[in-house]
mmCIF file of all heavy atoms in Angstrom:
data_model
loop_
_atom_site.group_PDB
_atom_site.id
_atom_site.type_symbol
_atom_site.label_atom_id
_atom_site.label_comp_id
_atom_site.label_asym_id
_atom_site.label_seq_id
_atom_site.Cartn_x
_atom_site.Cartn_y
_atom_site.Cartn_z
ATOM 1 N N ASP A 460 80.771 97.749 -77.649
ATOM 2 C CA ASP A 460 81.376 96.479 -77.151
ATOM 3 C C ASP A 460 82.415 96.747 -76.072
ATOM 4 O O ASP A 460 82.886 95.804 -75.458
ATOM 5 C CB ASP A 460 82.044 95.767 -78.319
ATOM 6 C CG ASP A 460 81.082 95.513 -79.467
ATOM 7 O OD1 ASP A 460 80.141 94.736 -79.292
ATOM 8 O OD2 ASP A 460 81.277 96.171 -80.533
ATOM 9 N N GLY A 461 82.766 98.009 -75.876
ATOM 10 C CA GLY A 461 83.747 98.328 -74.866
ATOM 11 C C GLY A 461 83.742 99.813 -74.576
ATOM 12 O O GLY A 461 83.143 100.607 -75.293
ATOM 13 N N TRP A 462 84.427 100.168 -73.514
ATOM 14 C CA TRP A 462 84.522 101.563 -73.064
ATOM 15 C C TRP A 462 85.984 101.948 -72.914
ATOM 16 O O TRP A 462 86.782 101.215 -72.329
ATOM 17 C CB TRP A 462 83.807 101.727 -71.716
ATOM 18 C CG TRP A 462 84.086 103.022 -70.993
ATOM 19 C CD1 TRP A 462 83.972 104.286 -71.477
ATOM 20 C CD2 TRP A 462 84.554 103.169 -69.645
ATOM 21 N NE1 TRP A 462 84.348 105.217 -70.551
ATOM 22 C CE2 TRP A 462 84.693 104.566 -69.401
ATOM 23 C CE3 TRP A 462 84.836 102.262 -68.622
ATOM 24 C CZ2 TRP A 462 85.101 105.057 -68.177
ATOM 25 C CZ3 TRP A 462 85.263 102.777 -67.395
ATOM 26 C CH2 TRP A 462 85.383 104.136 -67.168
ATOM 27 N N LEU A 463 86.335 103.109 -73.451
ATOM 28 C CA LEU A 463 87.661 103.671 -73.321
ATOM 29 C C LEU A 463 87.609 104.730 -72.220
ATOM 30 O O LEU A 463 87.072 105.843 -72.415
ATOM 31 C CB LEU A 463 88.123 104.302 -74.629
ATOM 32 C CG LEU A 463 88.244 103.327 -75.822
ATOM 33 C CD1 LEU A 463 88.490 104.082 -77.120
ATOM 34 C CD2 LEU A 463 89.348 102.321 -75.583
ATOM 35 N N GLY A 464 88.128 104.403 -71.040
ATOM 36 C CA GLY A 464 88.102 105.296 -69.911
ATOM 37 C C GLY A 464 89.363 106.137 -69.836
ATOM 38 O O GLY A 464 90.363 105.864 -70.540
ATOM 39 N N ILE A 465 89.333 107.154 -68.989
ATOM 40 C CA ILE A 465 90.488 108.007 -68.769
ATOM 41 C C ILE A 465 90.410 108.557 -67.350
ATOM 42 O O ILE A 465 89.316 108.654 -66.771
ATOM 43 C CB ILE A 465 90.530 109.151 -69.807
ATOM 44 C CG1 ILE A 465 91.892 109.851 -69.799
ATOM 45 C CG2 ILE A 465 89.380 110.162 -69.600
ATOM 46 C CD1 ILE A 465 92.101 110.806 -70.967
ATOM 47 N N LEU A 466 91.567 108.873 -66.793
ATOM 48 C CA LEU A 466 91.662 109.327 -65.401
ATOM 49 C C LEU A 466 90.986 108.285 -64.494
ATOM 50 O O LEU A 466 90.144 108.628 -63.648
ATOM 51 C CB LEU A 466 91.042 110.706 -65.215
ATOM 52 C CG LEU A 466 91.574 111.835 -66.111
ATOM 53 C CD1 LEU A 466 90.856 113.162 -65.797
ATOM 54 C CD2 LEU A 466 93.061 112.010 -66.009
ATOM 55 N N ASN A 467 91.386 107.033 -64.673
ATOM 56 C CA ASN A 467 90.684 105.926 -64.025
ATOM 57 C C ASN A 467 91.294 105.587 -62.687
ATOM 58 O O ASN A 467 92.426 105.071 -62.615
ATOM 59 C CB ASN A 467 90.679 104.695 -64.928
ATOM 60 C CG ASN A 467 89.810 104.875 -66.157
ATOM 61 O OD1 ASN A 467 90.286 104.765 -67.266
ATOM 62 N ND2 ASN A 467 88.547 105.171 -65.948
ATOM 63 N N ASP A 468 90.563 105.822 -61.614
ATOM 64 C CA ASP A 468 90.899 105.407 -60.274
ATOM 65 C C ASP A 468 90.122 104.138 -59.965
ATOM 66 O O ASP A 468 88.894 104.145 -60.067
ATOM 67 C CB ASP A 468 90.550 106.523 -59.285
ATOM 68 C CG ASP A 468 90.798 106.167 -57.829
ATOM 69 O OD1 ASP A 468 91.205 105.043 -57.532
ATOM 70 O OD2 ASP A 468 90.603 107.065 -56.986
ATOM 71 N N PRO A 469 90.774 103.043 -59.602
ATOM 72 C CA PRO A 469 89.992 101.825 -59.326
ATOM 73 C C PRO A 469 88.958 101.999 -58.212
ATOM 74 O O PRO A 469 87.926 101.328 -58.225
ATOM 75 C CB PRO A 469 91.076 100.777 -58.930
ATOM 76 C CG PRO A 469 92.300 101.553 -58.654
ATOM 77 C CD PRO A 469 92.218 102.808 -59.461
ATOM 78 N N ALA A 470 89.182 102.923 -57.318
ATOM 79 C CA ALA A 470 88.225 103.167 -56.256
ATOM 80 C C ALA A 470 86.961 103.839 -56.778
ATOM 81 O O ALA A 470 85.900 103.765 -56.120
ATOM 82 C CB ALA A 470 88.858 104.055 -55.155
ATOM 83 N N TYR A 471 87.035 104.493 -57.939
ATOM 84 C CA TYR A 471 85.861 105.171 -58.531
ATOM 85 C C TYR A 471 85.300 104.383 -59.715
ATOM 86 O O TYR A 471 84.218 104.689 -60.195
ATOM 87 C CB TYR A 471 86.266 106.584 -58.991
ATOM 88 C CG TYR A 471 85.083 107.429 -59.415
ATOM 89 C CD1 TYR A 471 84.158 107.896 -58.508
ATOM 90 C CD2 TYR A 471 84.912 107.750 -60.745
ATOM 91 C CE1 TYR A 471 83.087 108.665 -58.909
ATOM 92 C CE2 TYR A 471 83.857 108.513 -61.176
ATOM 93 C CZ TYR A 471 82.935 108.971 -60.230
ATOM 94 O OH TYR A 471 81.858 109.742 -60.636
ATOM 95 N N LEU A 472 86.032 103.361 -60.153
ATOM 96 C CA LEU A 472 85.627 102.639 -61.354
ATOM 97 C C LEU A 472 84.247 101.989 -61.189
ATOM 98 O O LEU A 472 83.426 101.957 -62.138
ATOM 99 C CB LEU A 472 86.657 101.591 -61.686
ATOM 100 C CG LEU A 472 86.601 100.941 -63.069
ATOM 101 C CD1 LEU A 472 86.687 101.983 -64.177
ATOM 102 C CD2 LEU A 472 87.694 99.908 -63.233
ATOM 103 N N GLY A 473 83.935 101.508 -59.999
ATOM 104 C CA GLY A 473 82.641 100.873 -59.794
ATOM 105 C C GLY A 473 81.506 101.818 -60.009
ATOM 106 O O GLY A 473 80.456 101.419 -60.556
ATOM 107 N N GLU A 474 81.655 103.074 -59.632
ATOM 108 C CA GLU A 474 80.608 104.062 -59.839
ATOM 109 C C GLU A 474 80.372 104.274 -61.341
ATOM 110 O O GLU A 474 79.224 104.392 -61.792
ATOM 111 C CB GLU A 474 81.023 105.403 -59.209
ATOM 112 C CG GLU A 474 79.979 106.509 -59.335
ATOM 113 C CD GLU A 474 78.685 106.214 -58.612
ATOM 114 O OE1 GLU A 474 78.695 105.467 -57.594
ATOM 115 O OE2 GLU A 474 77.628 106.739 -59.059
ATOM 116 N N GLN A 475 81.439 104.299 -62.135
ATOM 117 C CA GLN A 475 81.294 104.453 -63.574
ATOM 118 C C GLN A 475 80.644 103.216 -64.201
ATOM 119 O O GLN A 475 79.807 103.340 -65.110
ATOM 120 C CB GLN A 475 82.666 104.707 -64.190
ATOM 121 C CG GLN A 475 83.259 106.057 -63.722
ATOM 122 C CD GLN A 475 84.722 106.194 -64.106
ATOM 123 O OE1 GLN A 475 85.544 105.379 -63.690
ATOM 124 N NE2 GLN A 475 85.046 107.222 -64.863
ATOM 125 N N LEU A 476 81.002 102.040 -63.710
ATOM 126 C CA LEU A 476 80.430 100.822 -64.275
ATOM 127 C C LEU A 476 78.956 100.660 -63.964
ATOM 128 O O LEU A 476 78.242 99.973 -64.703
ATOM 129 C CB LEU A 476 81.216 99.596 -63.780
ATOM 130 C CG LEU A 476 82.653 99.477 -64.262
ATOM 131 C CD1 LEU A 476 83.274 98.191 -63.801
ATOM 132 C CD2 LEU A 476 82.712 99.583 -65.801
ATOM 133 N N LYS A 477 78.471 101.323 -62.906
ATOM 134 C CA LYS A 477 77.022 101.291 -62.657
ATOM 135 C C LYS A 477 76.265 101.903 -63.818
ATOM 136 O O LYS A 477 75.220 101.380 -64.230
ATOM 137 C CB LYS A 477 76.709 102.084 -61.371
ATOM 138 C CG LYS A 477 77.138 101.406 -60.094
ATOM 139 C CD LYS A 477 76.765 102.260 -58.894
ATOM 140 C CE LYS A 477 77.257 101.674 -57.572
ATOM 141 N NZ LYS A 477 76.966 102.561 -56.433
ATOM 142 N N HIS A 478 76.786 102.972 -64.375
ATOM 143 C CA HIS A 478 76.123 103.627 -65.507
ATOM 144 C C HIS A 478 76.214 102.766 -66.761
ATOM 145 O O HIS A 478 75.261 102.651 -67.541
ATOM 146 C CB HIS A 478 76.746 105.000 -65.775
ATOM 147 C CG HIS A 478 76.622 105.960 -64.608
ATOM 148 N ND1 HIS A 478 75.417 106.430 -64.158
ATOM 149 C CD2 HIS A 478 77.584 106.473 -63.787
ATOM 150 C CE1 HIS A 478 75.621 107.243 -63.137
ATOM 151 N NE2 HIS A 478 76.897 107.280 -62.900
ATOM 152 N N ILE A 479 77.387 102.126 -66.960
ATOM 153 C CA ILE A 479 77.524 101.251 -68.109
ATOM 154 C C ILE A 479 76.573 100.066 -67.981
ATOM 155 O O ILE A 479 75.931 99.640 -68.943
ATOM 156 C CB ILE A 479 78.985 100.781 -68.235
ATOM 157 C CG1 ILE A 479 79.879 101.970 -68.645
ATOM 158 C CG2 ILE A 479 79.105 99.635 -69.257
ATOM 159 C CD1 ILE A 479 81.359 101.646 -68.708
ATOM 160 N N ALA A 480 76.450 99.507 -66.773
ATOM 161 C CA ALA A 480 75.547 98.392 -66.538
ATOM 162 C C ALA A 480 74.098 98.760 -66.822
ATOM 163 O O ALA A 480 73.317 97.947 -67.315
ATOM 164 C CB ALA A 480 75.695 97.891 -65.104
ATOM 165 N N THR A 481 73.741 100.014 -66.520
ATOM 166 C CA THR A 481 72.377 100.475 -66.862
ATOM 167 C C THR A 481 72.151 100.387 -68.363
ATOM 168 O O THR A 481 71.071 99.965 -68.830
ATOM 169 C CB THR A 481 72.162 101.896 -66.355
ATOM 170 O OG1 THR A 481 72.292 101.934 -64.923
ATOM 171 C CG2 THR A 481 70.795 102.433 -66.729
ATOM 172 N N GLY A 482 73.135 100.829 -69.121
ATOM 173 C CA GLY A 482 73.024 100.734 -70.582
ATOM 174 C C GLY A 482 72.969 99.292 -71.068
ATOM 175 O O GLY A 482 72.222 98.987 -71.990
ATOM 176 N N ARG A 483 73.728 98.434 -70.445
ATOM 177 C CA ARG A 483 73.716 97.020 -70.854
ATOM 178 C C ARG A 483 72.348 96.368 -70.614
ATOM 179 O O ARG A 483 71.912 95.517 -71.389
ATOM 180 C CB ARG A 483 74.775 96.226 -70.101
ATOM 181 C CG ARG A 483 76.203 96.682 -70.294
ATOM 182 C CD ARG A 483 76.674 96.503 -71.684
ATOM 183 N NE ARG A 483 76.941 95.128 -72.032
ATOM 184 C CZ ARG A 483 77.268 94.689 -73.250
ATOM 185 N NH1 ARG A 483 77.332 95.557 -74.254
ATOM 186 N NH2 ARG A 483 77.506 93.427 -73.493
ATOM 187 N N ARG A 484 71.672 96.799 -69.550
ATOM 188 C CA ARG A 484 70.389 96.223 -69.231
ATOM 189 C C ARG A 484 69.339 96.553 -70.324
ATOM 190 O O ARG A 484 68.378 95.779 -70.513
ATOM 191 C CB ARG A 484 69.884 96.696 -67.880
ATOM 192 C CG ARG A 484 70.588 95.999 -66.704
ATOM 193 C CD ARG A 484 69.845 96.209 -65.416
ATOM 194 N NE ARG A 484 69.882 97.595 -64.987
ATOM 195 C CZ ARG A 484 70.841 98.131 -64.224
ATOM 196 N NH1 ARG A 484 71.853 97.382 -63.810
ATOM 197 N NH2 ARG A 484 70.790 99.386 -63.869
ATOM 198 N N THR A 485 69.508 97.650 -71.033
ATOM 199 C CA THR A 485 68.544 97.972 -72.104
ATOM 200 C C THR A 485 68.611 96.979 -73.211
ATOM 201 O O THR A 485 67.661 96.851 -73.984
ATOM 202 C CB THR A 485 68.786 99.400 -72.635
ATOM 203 O OG1 THR A 485 70.080 99.445 -73.266
ATOM 204 C CG2 THR A 485 68.732 100.435 -71.520
ATOM 205 N N ARG A 486 69.728 96.284 -73.352
ATOM 206 C CA ARG A 486 69.835 95.234 -74.376
ATOM 207 C C ARG A 486 69.834 93.843 -73.722
ATOM 208 O O ARG A 486 70.214 92.875 -74.345
ATOM 209 C CB ARG A 486 71.104 95.429 -75.213
ATOM 210 C CG ARG A 486 72.361 95.600 -74.426
ATOM 211 C CD ARG A 486 73.519 96.116 -75.263
ATOM 212 N NE ARG A 486 74.109 95.106 -76.099
ATOM 213 C CZ ARG A 486 75.119 95.320 -76.942
ATOM 214 N NH1 ARG A 486 75.607 96.544 -77.067
ATOM 215 N NH2 ARG A 486 75.624 94.355 -77.670
ATOM 216 N N GLN A 487 69.410 93.823 -72.462
ATOM 217 C CA GLN A 487 69.220 92.590 -71.693
ATOM 218 C C GLN A 487 70.546 91.795 -71.625
ATOM 219 O O GLN A 487 70.560 90.573 -71.793
ATOM 220 C CB GLN A 487 68.081 91.756 -72.285
ATOM 221 C CG GLN A 487 66.733 92.460 -72.232
ATOM 222 C CD GLN A 487 65.604 91.607 -72.756
ATOM 223 O OE1 GLN A 487 65.801 90.786 -73.653
ATOM 224 N NE2 GLN A 487 64.427 91.797 -72.230
#
Side-chain angles (χ1 to χ4, degrees):
D460 305 292
W462 166 53
L463 298 171
I465 194 169
L466 305 180
N467 292 122
D468 177 355
Y471 188 70
L472 193 58
E474 182 64 29
Q475 294 168 302
L476 292 185
K477 288 179 183 177
H478 300 294
I479 292 176
T481 298
R483 300 295 287 174
R484 284 196 293 271
T485 64
R486 51 194 283 179
Q487 298 182 330

